[in-house]
Structures are given as C-alpha cells and as structure tokens.
Amino acid sequence: MKEFYPERICAVCREDLDELEIAYGDCPVCEQFVCEGCDDGYDPTTGQMVCPDHAADPRAKNCTE
C-alpha cells in the first residue's frame, strides 16, 4: 500500500518548503504546513505553527510564541 505524504508547501505564501531554508510546521486546526514567515504563532512543545486564518481558534491556544 502506497502512503500519501502531503506536498510541503506553505498554505499562506505557497512557497515550496523543501526549497526554502526556513522552519515550518503544521497548523493544529487545518493541518496544512505553514512557514515561520507566515505563521501567527508557534507551539514549542509540538512544533506546530498556526496559520493566520486559525490563530483565534481554541485548538491553537498553545501557539503563543
């Protein structure tokens, strides 16, 4: 069975994250990748970065840095 891995593209700026030398993480709400230049908060415990669309969502409450 072939496993599916999502493309590593920032959901906000649409940059290819494999080509950028920048940190990124998945949004805890929509699960899309977000680069550190576009994130609206970071959770150091999980490494997740919330996208601007979901910054106010309760599921992103730990993305404070």
Side-chain angles (χ1 to χ4, degrees), residues 16-46:
D16 185 339
L17 298 170
D18 287 332
E19 293 181 10
L20 293 178
E21 292 185 17
I22 191 169
Y24 64 91
D26 61 312
C27 176
V29 180
C30 66
E31 300 179 353
Q32 298 293 311
F33 290 121
V34 183
C35 73
E36 71 178 334
C38 295
D39 76 87
D40 218 17
Y42 169 71
D43 182 346
T45 305
T46 64

Side-chain angles (χ1 to χ4, degrees), residues 4 19 23 37 57:
F4 172 74
E19 293 181 10
D57 191 292

